[in-house]
Amino acid sequence: MSTDGFAVRTMRRQEVEAAVGWAEREGWNPGVSDAEAFYAADPEGFFIAELDGAPVGSVSVVNYSEAFAFAGLYILRPEYRNRGYGSRLFAAGMAHAGNRNIGGDGVLAMLEKYRTRSGFSLAYRNIRFEGTGGGNEPEGPVDIAAVPFEPLAAYDARHFPAPRPRFLAAWIRQEGTRGRAVLTEDGEIAGYGVIRRCHHGNKIGPLFADTPDVAEDIFLALSAQVPGEPVYIDTPEPNAAAVALARRQGMVPVFETARIYTKAVPGLPLDEIFGVTSFELG
């Protein structure tokens, strides 16, 4: 404990659940079961700030590999903001990543602060679209449960800056989640996507696909699982086909983030990334 009663420590599992609850109150609309998968990614990567023993803030910096980490869940209770606590909390979390390239999704208004505080630079914008589920499920996509996990994890790793098998295994199996994949005639994965129950409606993410047509089939298959309910998808703005898909399905933009990195922008195939997995964990 510091002399002013402020301290940062690693979260316990149940505290990650609480931090996801704070994210909901901030209006970020996380999944109702996200905490389990988040914690599986890196149990040492979640931090809680306390003042005289009472929780006042959170941040996550999840180490996916020796080269890459992702920061999120940066929340300070409103009454404790602008008092220097946020900077100390953020610095403690960033220290967990060491010399890794750190990614994040920040609000656009905070870009200058992220740049000056931790050296983050803008890569591109992500746009959250909102629509309504329903329609008929196309014939092509198959239930993700029928796809062997190893090739699924390998396909996922092509579209993310690091392999994340522990996270992925928990993510696709969390309660209220359904997944679909498209396979080629040779049985290779041509795309996959997941839709999960959120505090408000349902969110598609990730949605990775070799082509826009495959992405649309997966999108339609997932949307058909939740007729009449709100559906969200977070699209990288540089993928014009992803933005066009969302608009073609009658979705409207409701929120934006800035995808930022402390080092070089990873060389990912953005034209195959139609839906971001999570603003909190990348």
Side-chain angles (χ1 to χ4, degrees):
M1 187 73 72
S2 64
T3 56
D4 63 354
F6 181 84
V8 178
R9 61 170 174 81
T10 304
M11 287 186 187
R12 295 181 282 270
R13 164 64 184 83
Q14 65 270 27
E15 290 169 328
V16 178
E17 199 88 46
V20 173
W22 295 347
E24 163 58 17
R25 287 194 290 275
E26 290 290 319
W28 300 350
N29 195 27
V32 296
S33 301
D34 281 359
E36 187 69 33
F38 285 2
Y39 192 72
D42 179 7
E44 302 299 316
F46 297 85
F47 303 89
I48 188 166
E50 295 177 323
L51 190 61
D52 297 326
V56 298
S58 68
V59 72
S60 61
V61 182
V62 168
N63 291 342
Y64 282 107
S65 71
E66 292 302 312
F68 183 71
F70 198 89
L73 287 174
Y74 180 40
I75 304 167
L76 202 68
R77 285 171 52 185
E79 62 267 35
Y80 296 102
R81 293 172 186 173
N82 301 312
R83 294 167 60 178
Y85 297 137
S87 297
R88 292 159 69 181
L89 167 61
F90 197 74
M94 293 287 283
H96 177 64
N99 196 40
R100 293 169 175 84
N101 186 15
I102 306 170
D105 277 304
V107 295
L108 298 174
M110 293 283 286
L111 268 179
E112 182 61 20
K113 183 172 286 189
Y114 293 140
R115 185 188 67 79
T116 57
R117 177 185 292 172
S118 303
F120 282 101
S121 297
L122 174 67
Y124 51 83
R125 293 189 305 159
N126 287 315
I127 306 171
R128 174 165 295 170
F129 283 90
E130 178 182 5
T132 304
N136 298 318
E137 185 166 358
E139 293 183 2
V142 300
D143 194 310
I144 204 171
V147 180
F149 181 74
E150 192 169 307
L152 184 70
Y155 188 85
D156 182 82
R158 278 177 40 197
H159 300 86
F160 194 76
R164 49 178 182 174
R166 291 194 307 274
F167 168 82
L168 185 64
W171 188 254
I172 63 176
R173 295 171 184 140
Q174 62 176 296
E175 186 177 353
T177 294
R178 282 154 282 191
R180 294 293 185 268
V182 168
L183 306 179
T184 68
E185 292 183 358
D186 297 329
E188 300 293 322
I189 297 173
Y192 93 93
V194 167
I195 189 168
R196 75 193 194 281
R197 181 75 58 190
C198 292
H199 288 268
H200 178 70
N202 310 268
K203 201 173 294 179
I204 293 174
L207 175 51
F208 302 147
D210 292 356
T211 68
D213 287 344
V214 170
E216 188 147 19
D217 276 352
I218 296 171
F219 178 95
L220 293 172
L222 296 173
S223 181
Q225 307 304 309
V226 290
E229 298 182 24
V231 171
Y232 301 90
I233 187 169
D234 301 326
T235 62
E237 187 185 34
N239 186 344
V243 174
L245 167 60
R247 294 191 182 277
R248 194 162 53 248
Q249 297 304 321
M251 306 182 86
V252 295
V254 294
F255 184 62
E256 293 183 3
T257 67
R259 173 57 61 92
I260 51 180
Y261 294 99
T262 56
K263 296 185 179 182
V265 177
L268 300 175
L270 281 178
D271 60 338
E272 298 181 5
I273 300 174
F274 290 81
V276 175
T277 307
S278 156
F279 284 159
E280 291 77 31
L281 258 70

